[in-house]
Amino acid sequence: MIDLFTVTGLVLICTIFLCLFRVIIGPGACNRLIAANTIGTKIILLLVLVGYIYGRNLFLDIALAYAMINFLATLAIAKYLEKGCIC
């Protein structure tokens, strides 16, 4: 029997590939940035899901660190796109 968490993980992976298509083909830089941020968020969800399935708290710590890095990188890139420099 297929587990609900396995199905959830597979759906997340499929939506990551859809967002990757938007990153590659996207009409503009802002759309690509939002799609990349969405990929990062979905990877965080996958890390939390894997941590819950295997009962490892380390995955939750890694997901938290990755979330902070993803947030700061998105802000830095958005500021660069708006102003042309990160000042």
Side-chain angles (χ1 to χ4, degrees), residues 45-78:
L45 289 173
L46 277 175
L47 283 170
V48 170
L49 186 65
V50 168
Y52 179 75
I53 290 171
Y54 291 115
R56 302 278 185 153
N57 292 333
L58 182 64
F59 282 100
L60 300 177
D61 296 335
I62 293 170
L64 183 62
Y66 188 74
M68 289 187 286
I69 292 170
N70 185 33
F71 176 71
L72 291 175
T74 303
L75 285 179
I77 294 170

Side-chain angles (χ1 to χ4, degrees), residues 4-35:
L4 177 65
F5 294 118
T6 305
V7 172
T8 304
L10 290 174
V11 168
L12 279 172
I13 291 170
C14 290
T15 57
I16 286 173
F17 282 115
L18 291 174
C19 289
L20 185 63
F21 176 75
R22 177 58 69 185
V23 169
I24 295 170
I25 307 295
C30 292
N31 288 331
R32 290 179 175 157
L33 176 64
I34 292 170

Side-chain angles (χ1 to χ4, degrees), residues 75-87:
L75 285 179
I77 294 170
K79 190 171 184 180
Y80 177 76
L81 289 175
E82 182 181 340
K83 294 186 179 181
C85 68
I86 302 175
C87 303

